[in-house]
């Protein structure tokens, strides 16, 4: 008979205890795996999404908040910046493209984002692709909407009324004036973009100057006033008081821009009877990477706006907020693992009393002390291995269970069966990075289990054969 | 083949003193010989068998078996020696509950480091009339059947000496006779010497040589 079979038989003899102990190991391992996968995939998605954006520009305040709002469609805006500032950025010779972003209302909690069709034609999402239509067309006039794939509350050609604010609350009333019509639906991108309702810039009420010819509407006026910065609304504002880069072809335009621009009316598109005076943010791509840093510096020096690097903010977010939370969660799951490990000890230890006779009989049949010792260690390791492998399944099944919820909340698509990428910073252990994290976690669990088997194994080793044969 | 000389055994008493159980100046057993050792309960029969099996170490004296002086061996070597040379039959059978009849025999063969386990186990179980019960667990067997597995197991490792400790006292009359006969026949066939200890004179009467423990044990 082979040793494996003996161990299997010994475990089967106490099937319930074995199963319960294995299950507790599975819980610990599953928890560690689920948390690690979740963190890793969230971080990957965050970084990937951030990588689609070089630089975002918005009202002064927290750069993280600006990035969260513009890139991840979370949190509230830092405020608005003048429309003219956007135009100025767009015309800057270093800028490859500048896409405006205006946050207004919501529909059932899905944000309405006003932008230009460039958002779809120029912005490259993760994987290098662009947002594509699954049906319908892009908006071509005001009050037409293109919805992300996760905006399941709306269908093509459906009409809807938006509510004030970025969140769906009881208090916020519906806009009475304008009904939106869904004209296009985007394909799923697996990014927060999927939860957004895109509309033209002109459909965002909050960024308009009230039309002097129209009777003043209460809520809109309040909003407009609250968001008007100190400068004259709509007036172009210089990037910086002094421009360090000599621009030979437009020396004099530069100086002109420091003053109030007389040509404002022509530059500002006229949407119906209202005029766009502000945007929430501008998504910038520069012609070459060095300009990124230059623009970042210039904009932040100036009094009007701030610029933030989404990639940097994403990394900071993870380092400052997500990583500590992750540590806490991992510590909790490690504790679950340790408790499970101790349960191996307790479980084998408890069976030891009834097993002394069996061990004595085996010894009388010629089994050596170290054979009995190693069998107990193998038993403990086997319980952990079974629990560990079940834990891999349990962890990934947890992700499968969370998939829908995670997509609904954040637009992030979890890959429930994607293995953990091992990322050990130590060069001596770098060879382990080729192995999926699951294998390493189970290996640690098995080693821990065997360690827990040590005490009962020593006690089995010391079994008094003669005394236990006669009792 | 088995030779004991000046063998003494003292147990540590609870009060710190010692209790002398055995003092055997001389006892021998020839190869293939079958002997019944008769003694009342508490006279040290089990202790003697444990000493011969190397499960206990004597306080003093010499145990020589198959040309090897057991006292000189390390514990691991004694375990190996026991696995290869000795078969043991217990009063209360002591079959391993988690293993089938056949597996109980295979374990003995495994400990002896011998191959051909399944075939030999099957053959022996057939000889004790359990060909139909190879894969039964001990709890699925009657007392008589369990002891027959015990007898077959004692011979599984091809021992030179089988030690039987009150092998029939847990059995009823019918099973006692069957078990006794199987033990005697199988040991003869397998060329194993047989030392049975018992308090039952009827059992002892079945053996060509009967020794009173109190005659060789001089306390
Ligand atoms: N581990 C022990 N410690 C102390 N005394 C023991 C121990 N084992 C047996 N004895 C004593 O040794 C004597 C012989 O016991 P045993 O060999 O079991 O006798 P038998 O098998 O003939 O009934 C008994 O008096 C018993 O109480
Ligand atoms: Mg006894």
């Amino acid at each position: 008979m082979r040793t494996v079979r003996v161990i299997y038989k010994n475990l089967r003899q106490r099937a319930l205890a074995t199963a319960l102990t294995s299950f507790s190991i599975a819980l610990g391992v599953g928890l560690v795996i689920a948390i690690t996968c979740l963190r890793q995939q969230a971080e990957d998605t965050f970084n990937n999404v951030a990588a689609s954006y070089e630089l975002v520009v918005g009202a002064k305040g927290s750069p993280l908040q600006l990035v969260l709002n513009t890139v991840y469609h979370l949190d509230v805006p830092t405020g608005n910046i003048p429309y003219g500032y956007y135009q100025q950025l767009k015309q800057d010779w270093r800028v490859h493209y500048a896409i405006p972003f205006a946050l207004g209302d919501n529909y059932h909690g899905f944000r309405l984002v006003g932008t230009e069709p460039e958002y779809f034609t120029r912005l490259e999402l993760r994987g290098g692709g662009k947002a594509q239509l699954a049906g319908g067309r892009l908006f071509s006039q005001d009050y037409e909407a293109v919805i992300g794939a996760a905006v399941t509350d709306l269908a093509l050609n459906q009409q809807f009324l938006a509510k004030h604010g970025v969140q769906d609350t009881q208090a916020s009333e519906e806009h009475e004036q304008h009904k939106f019509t869904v004209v296009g639906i985007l394909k799923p991108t697996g990014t927060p973009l999927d939860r957004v309702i895109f509309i033209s810039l002109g459909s965002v009420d909050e960024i308009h100057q009230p039309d002097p010819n129209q009777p003043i509407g209460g809520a809109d006026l309040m909003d407009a006033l609250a968001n008007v910065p100190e400068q004259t609304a709509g007036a172009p504002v210089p990037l910086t008081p002094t421009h360090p880069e000599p621009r030979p072809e437009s020396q004099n335009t530069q100086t002109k821009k420091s003053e109030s621009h007389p040509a404002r009316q022509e530059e500002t598109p006229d949407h119906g009877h209202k005029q766009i005076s502000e945007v929430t943010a501008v998504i910038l791509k520069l012609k070459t990477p060095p300009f990124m840093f230059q623009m970042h510096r210039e904009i932040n020096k100036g009094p009007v706006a701030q610029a933030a690097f989404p990639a940097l903010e994403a990394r900071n977010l993870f380092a400052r907020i997500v990583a500590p939370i992750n540590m806490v969660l991992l510590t909790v799951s490690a504790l679950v693992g340790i408790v499970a490990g101790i349960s191996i000890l307790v479980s084998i230890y408890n069976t030891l009393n009834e097993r002394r006779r069996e061990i004595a009989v085996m010894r009388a049949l010629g089994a050596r002390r170290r054979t009995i010792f190693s069998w107990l260690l193998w038993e403990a390791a086997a319980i952990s291995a079974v629990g560990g492998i079940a834990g891999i399944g349990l962890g990934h099944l947890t992700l499968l269970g969370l998939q829908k919820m995670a997509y609904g909340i954040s637009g992030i698509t979890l890959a429930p069966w994607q293995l953990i990428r091992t990322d050990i910073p130590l060069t001596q252990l770098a060879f382990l990075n080729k192995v999926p994290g699951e294998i390493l976690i189970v290996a640690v669990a098995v080693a821990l289990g065997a360690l827990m088997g040590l005490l009962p194994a020593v006690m089995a080793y010391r079994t008094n054969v003669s005394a236990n044969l006669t009792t | 083949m088995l030779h004991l000389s000046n063998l003494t055994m003292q147990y540590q008493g609870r009060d710190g003193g010692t209790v002398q159980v055995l003092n055997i100046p001389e006892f021998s057993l020839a190869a293939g010989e079958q002997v019944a050792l008769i003694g009342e309960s508490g006279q040290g029969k089990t202790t003697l068998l444990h000493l011969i099996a190397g499960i206990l170490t004597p306080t003093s004296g010499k145990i020589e078996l198959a040309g090897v002086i057991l006292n000189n061996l390390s514990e691991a070597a004694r375990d190996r020696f026991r696995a290869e040379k000795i078969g043991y039959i217990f009063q209360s059978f002591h079959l391993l509950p988690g293993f089938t009849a056949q597996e109980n025999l295979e374990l003995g063969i495994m400990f002896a480091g011998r191959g051909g386990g399944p075939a030999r186990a099957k053959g022996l179980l057939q000889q004790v009339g359990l060909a139909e019960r190879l894969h039964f667990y001990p709890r699925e067997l009657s007392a008589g059947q369990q002891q027959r597995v015990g007898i077959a197991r004692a011979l599984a490792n091809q021992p030179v000496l089988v030690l039987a400790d009150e092998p029939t006292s847990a059995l009823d009359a019918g099973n006692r006779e069957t078990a006794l006969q199987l033990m005697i026949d199988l040991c003869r066939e397998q060329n194993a010497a047989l030392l049975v200890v018992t308090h039952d004179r009827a059992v002892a009467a079945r053996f060509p040589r009967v020794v009173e423990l109190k005659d060789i044990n001089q306390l």
Side-chain angles (χ1 to χ4, degrees), chain B:
Chain B
M1 202 257 327
L2 173 68
H3 187 76
L4 312 179
S5 52
N6 299 321
L7 186 69
T8 69
M9 183 62 190
Q10 293 172 354
Y11 280 114
Q12 220 68 43
R14 287 202 175 193
D15 48 7
T18 57
V19 184
Q20 176 101 12
V21 177
L22 292 174
N23 178 19
I24 301 174
E26 160 78 50
F27 178 74
S28 293
L29 204 68
E33 196 182 7
Q34 303 198 334
V35 176
L37 190 62
I38 199 159
E40 297 302 312
S41 178
Q43 281 196 328
K45 302 185 294 294
T46 300
T47 304
L48 179 60
L49 293 191
H50 282 185
L51 285 170
I52 295 169
I55 290 168
L56 284 175
T57 46
T59 309
S60 69
K62 195 170 80 171
I63 301 167
E64 190 184 333
L65 178 59
V68 176
I69 298 168
L70 278 181
N71 314 47
N72 294 348
L73 297 179
S74 69
E75 194 187 22
R78 260 187 286 134
D79 287 340
R80 170 172 234 115
F81 186 82
R82 177 168 62 250
E84 289 173 6
K85 306 287 189 201
I86 291 173
Y88 211 112
I89 300 170
F90 303 93
Q91 178 177 354
S92 45
F93 325 136
H94 282 342
L95 298 184
L96 295 162
F99 297 83
T100 64
Q102 186 181 327
E103 287 168 343
N104 263 274
L105 270 66
E106 284 183 42
L107 272 173
I109 297 163
M110 178 191 182
F111 295 140
R114 298 196 212 282
R120 182 165 174 82
K122 274 183 207 164
L124 281 165
L125 286 168
Q126 207 167 346
Q127 282 183 282
V128 298
L130 292 173
E132 313 289 305
R133 300 281 187 276
L134 299 178
H135 306 302
F136 280 50
Y137 284 89
R139 63 174 179 277
E140 299 165 336
L141 298 170
S142 72
Q145 289 170 330
Q146 285 191 43
Q147 191 58 308
R148 281 189 269 156
V149 176
I151 291 163
R153 186 177 67 178
L155 286 151
N157 59 335
Q158 298 171 254
V160 296
L161 172 64
V162 171
L163 303 169
D165 192 349
E166 310 256 17
T168 56
S169 45
L171 301 176
D172 61 46
N175 279 318
R176 192 177 305 160
E177 180 51 36
T178 318
L180 214 51
Q181 197 58 53
L182 276 172
M183 205 158 44
I184 289 165
D185 292 347
L186 265 181
C187 287
R188 186 158 296 143
E189 190 213 277
Q190 301 278 327
N191 297 317
L194 175 60
L195 178 60
V196 176
V197 299
T198 181
H199 67 274
D200 187 342
R201 296 200 173 266
V203 170
R206 298 291 307 273
F207 287 83
R209 182 181 162 204
V210 179
V211 176
E212 294 276 348
L213 182 56
K214 61 177 186 285
D215 291 347
I216 59 164
N217 193 17
Q218 299 179 354
L219 285 176

Side-chain angles (χ1 to χ4, degrees), chain A residues 2-78:
Chain A
R2 309 246 301 272
T3 304
V4 197
R5 188 158 175 78
V6 177
I7 288 156
Y8 166 72
K9 285 264 163 174
N10 277 332
L11 289 174
R12 220 188 67 166
Q13 201 182 336
R14 282 160 269 269
L16 184 66
T18 304
L20 288 177
T21 315
S22 284
F23 183 67
S24 62
I25 302 281
L27 282 183
V29 167
L31 220 56
V32 173
I33 285 176
I35 290 168
T36 309
C37 278
L38 210 57
R39 200 256 316 148
Q40 208 164 65
Q41 293 187 22
E43 189 169 356
D44 284 356
T45 308
F46 256 68
N47 287 337
N48 270 328
V49 169
S52 318
Y53 301 79
E54 271 189 9
L55 202 62
V56 293
V57 180
K60 286 206 180 282
S62 148
L64 177 60
Q65 194 183 338
L66 173 64
V67 169
L68 280 178
N69 187 58
T70 314
V71 175
Y72 302 108
H73 305 287
L74 296 169
D75 210 343
V76 290
T78 46

